[in-house]
Amino acid sequence: MRIMLCDDSALFRHGVALLLQAVGVEVAGQAGNLAELHELLLTDVPDAVILDIRMPPTFTDEGLAGAAALRAAHPGLGLLVLSTYAESAYARQLLEIGPSGVGYLLKDRVDDAATVRDALSRVIAGESVIDSEIVSRLFTRRTAVSGLDSLTEREQSVLTLMAEGRSNVAISRRLHLGVKTVETHIAAIFGKLGLEPGADDNRRVLAVLTWVQSSG
C-alpha cells in the first residue's frame, strides 16, 4: 500500500514513516500542512492519507476539515486521522464525512506499526475504523440516552465492536458467537434505536453515530 503523511511535526512524521516502512508500507510523500498535501496530491494520489486532527493555524480541527475536502476531491482515498485526544465530536465529524474508508486513531498508539498498518488496510478496503481505546474511553463516558439505555449488555458489546468498524464475522469471532446470532443482536440494536429498515451499511453508521453523540 502507498500512503502520504500530513503533520506539522517533522519529527513525528519521520518517525511514523520509518515505522510504517518497516512493516512494508510505502510512504509516497510527507507534508507539514494541508496546502503542501494538496500540492502533492496534484501529481500523485496514494491509497490513503494519514492526517493529524489539530494542525495550523488554529490547532483545533483543521485535519478533519482537510479530510472532508480530500474526500470530496478524491472519493476513493482512504483517510486515517490521528489525535492525542479521544473526542466524541471528532469521531462524529469523521463518520459524517462518509460511511466508509475513514479511521480515527490515538497518537499514543502509533508506535505500534502493526496497528496502524491494520487500520490503513481497513480504510483502504472501505471500512470505517475507530481505535478500540477511543471506543473504550467514550463508552465509559456515555450519558443516558433513550434507546441506548434499553440495550442489553451483549448488545452494547456488539455496538462497541461496530463502532470499531468490525464486520459481523469479526464480531462473532471476538464474542464467540455465531454470525446469525450477531445479526440478530444487530437487528435488535437497529430496532431499539428506531432505525428504519434500509441499507444495512447506512444503518450501522447511524447506530454508531447515535452512540458517539451520546458519549461526551
Side-chain angles (χ1 to χ4, degrees):
M1 71 182 72
R2 299 176 68 254
I3 66 103
M4 287 184 181
L5 291 162
C6 184
D7 192 290
D8 61 292
S9 169
L11 181 62
F12 180 79
R13 287 198 316 271
H14 294 320
V16 173
L18 288 173
L19 284 170
L20 291 177
Q21 287 166 350
V23 292
V25 177
E26 179 184 347
V27 179
Q30 299 183 39
N33 55 54
L34 291 167
E36 290 179 8
L37 177 62
H38 284 293
E39 285 293 320
L40 290 173
L41 292 173
L42 289 175
T43 56
D44 184 16
V45 179
D47 300 311
V49 169
I50 298 177
L51 296 146
D52 188 12
I53 288 181
R54 297 190 175 189
M55 297 182 69
T58 67
F59 293 95
T60 53
D61 63 352
E62 283 85 358
L64 287 170
L70 289 172
R71 175 51 53 87
H74 308 284
L77 181 65
L79 301 169
L80 180 63
V81 300
L82 306 177
S83 177
T84 307
Y85 310 96
E87 296 286 350
S88 60
Y90 291 161
R92 182 172 63 253
Q93 285 178 255
L94 178 67
L95 289 169
E96 287 173 347
I97 290 172
S100 62
V102 295
Y104 175 12
L105 290 184
L106 287 177
K107 274 192 168 182
D108 62 9
R109 289 169 63 86
V110 170
D111 60 350
D112 182 350
T115 294
V116 182
R117 193 185 194 289
D118 175 67
L120 285 167
S121 296
R122 291 166 63 194
V123 299
I124 290 170
E127 299 179 32
S128 60
V129 179
I130 301 180
D131 190 312
S132 59
E133 181 65 19
I134 294 173
V135 172
S136 177
R137 292 185 190 185
L138 294 179
F139 197 85
T140 60
R141 297 207 303 265
R142 186 178 63 80
T143 56
V145 172
S146 177
L148 286 169
D149 283 345
S150 67
L151 299 183
T152 65
E153 184 176 348
R154 179 63 79 188
E155 289 164 356
Q156 290 178 3
S157 297
V158 170
L159 182 53
T160 298
L161 292 171
M162 287 169 63
E164 292 179 24
R166 305 294 176 180
S167 66
N168 289 3
V169 172
I171 293 171
S172 71
R173 289 172 179 166
R174 182 72 64 88
L175 298 180
H176 306 293
L177 300 172
V179 174
K180 289 294 185 183
T181 301
V182 171
E183 292 172 353
T184 298
H185 286 310
I186 291 174
I189 291 168
F190 290 158
K192 291 179 180 180
L193 296 184
L195 299 175
E196 297 297 327
D200 276 351
D201 285 347
N202 290 336
R203 287 202 294 172
R204 289 175 86 92
V205 173
L206 288 172
V208 171
L209 280 172
T210 300
W211 177 83
V212 168
Q213 288 168 339
S214 75
S215 304

